[in-house]
Amino acid sequence: MAHIATTRRSQWTRGRHTIESSDIRWLHDQLQHVPGGLLTDPRPPADIAPGGARYTWQMYSPS
C-alpha cells in the first residue's frame, strides 16, 4: 500500500494476469469492512466426506 499510495497508476503483469493499482486500492477499501480482519471461506461446508475426492466439487452432493 505504501507504493500504491505514492503513485497515480501502477501496473503489474505476471503471465496473462494484469493487476493495476486501482484494483489494489479497491481491494484494500473492501477489506476494511471485514469484521475481525479474517476472511472466511465463502463456500458452505462439504456434505460428503473428503476421502477419495480429487477435487473440491466432488465433496458436494448434486443437490
Side-chain angles (χ1 to χ4, degrees):
M1 284 307 300
H3 176 71
I4 291 173
T6 60
T7 60
R8 284 182 62 178
R9 184 173 186 272
S10 296
Q11 186 175 12
W12 300 269
T13 302
R14 182 174 177 115
R16 296 182 300 158
H17 303 284
T18 300
I19 300 172
E20 296 183 1
S21 55
S22 59
D23 298 329
I24 302 297
R25 286 185 189 105
W26 177 86
L27 182 58
H28 179 73
D29 290 340
Q30 296 302 309
L31 291 175
Q32 299 308 305
H33 304 290
V34 174
L38 180 65
L39 296 176
T40 58
D41 193 345
R43 299 171 294 194
D47 59 350
I48 299 175
R54 183 173 180 184
Y55 302 103
T56 302
W57 60 266
Q58 293 173 323
M59 295 187 303
Y60 293 90
S61 61
S63 59

